Amino acid sequence: MTTQSVPTVFVVDDDLNVRASIQGLLKAAGVRSEAFGTAEEFLRSKGPDGPGCLVLDVSLPGVSGLELQRKLAAAGVRTPIIFITGHGDIPMTVKAIKSGAVEFLTKPFDDQDLLNAIQQAFDRDRVTRHQQSEVAELRARYESLTTRERQVMGLVVSGMLNKQVAYELGTSEITVKIQRGHVMTKMKAESLADLVRMAAALDLPTGRK
């Protein structure tokens, strides 16, 4: 396995003892980790470019854990987050979970609870990365279509028949059939339903645009 394919736990906590304790636990469990004392320090680092998750203290000096969660979300970083705190409350927990956190653990937490949460985060990250990879591949196929083929695809997945597409685009039905065939081949779609699913995954607008 390459280093980038090995999951990494990024620990962000301003308490040195907590960081050391968590890293010791992870090392014993055979899990790779990196630790940071502040959110700013984490943001200045190379960051998570491979699989993994974030074990994040809520109450950090400067940028708080919840603020870091918002910053990462705004930047399109979807690394799963496990929050840890010494004084969590119900509203804070609900807010964190609603914003996508995997778990919210109150210190002192059980080691196994943290390891279980990390495994859950790794599983979630694996699924997310697989979905992103699939969408990226679909996007590349879509980009290979000509402008007219994209128009045909948009109209076809909106439910139009070939003759309706031909009328809409001011062309012949036989031309639409040929272009539709090109779309199916380039998109590697085995059926209309398959093509509709692909369009939905790409969040494509239907119609002529």
Side-chain angles (χ1 to χ4, degrees):
M1 281 184 126
T2 63
T3 301
Q4 283 195 341
S5 67
V6 177
T8 302
V9 176
F10 297 89
V11 182
V12 185
D13 195 303
D14 61 323
D15 188 321
L16 178 59
N17 291 329
V18 172
R19 295 200 304 274
S21 176
I22 292 176
Q23 284 201 288
L25 172 66
L26 295 176
K27 184 176 181 180
V31 178
R32 184 173 180 270
S33 68
E34 294 181 24
F36 307 89
T38 65
E40 290 87 346
E41 186 182 337
F42 171 75
L43 290 170
R44 286 195 298 269
S45 71
K46 186 179 179 182
D49 57 355
C53 69
L54 194 59
V55 175
L56 179 60
D57 187 22
V58 173
S59 302
L60 293 168
V63 176
S64 72
L66 292 175
E67 287 175 316
L68 178 58
Q69 182 186 35
R70 287 194 294 270
K71 285 178 178 289
L72 293 176
V77 178
R78 301 179 64 184
T79 302
I81 295 175
I82 298 164
F83 278 109
I84 56 176
T85 180
H87 45 76
D89 55 37
I90 298 300
M92 186 185 294
T93 304
V94 171
K95 185 175 183 180
I97 298 297
K98 279 188 174 181
S99 296
V102 174
E103 187 59 273
F104 198 104
L105 301 175
T106 302
K107 303 173 186 175
F109 44 78
D110 183 78
D111 288 351
Q112 193 57 51
D113 287 343
L114 177 60
L115 292 175
N116 290 344
I118 287 172
Q119 186 56 57
Q120 183 182 346
F122 283 169
D123 291 342
R124 180 185 293 188
D125 192 48
R126 193 175 298 111
V127 170
T128 298
R129 286 177 177 276
H130 179 68
Q131 291 173 338
Q132 289 175 328
S133 177
E134 283 190 330
V135 171
E137 185 178 338
L138 286 177
R139 179 65 62 185
R141 294 179 198 170
Y142 183 73
E143 294 297 331
S144 74
L145 302 181
T146 65
T147 300
R148 179 45 63 93
E149 287 167 352
R150 292 179 194 176
Q151 291 174 343
V152 169
M153 178 174 171
L155 294 171
V156 166
V157 299
S158 73
M160 287 189 179
L161 301 174
N162 286 344
K163 61 182 180 181
Q164 294 172 314
V165 175
Y167 178 79
E168 176 71 20
L169 298 180
T171 187
S172 67
E173 188 174 349
I174 186 64
T175 297
V176 169
K177 286 182 179 179
I178 293 172
Q179 292 168 337
R180 179 171 175 166
H182 290 165
V183 170
M184 298 294 284
T185 299
K186 290 183 179 180
M187 292 300 295
K188 298 183 180 179
E190 297 181 357
S191 64
L192 175 58
D194 203 15
L195 193 66
V196 171
R197 180 189 63 80
M198 292 176 179
L202 291 170
D203 196 24
L204 298 179
T206 57
R208 189 170 180 174
K209 293 181 181 179

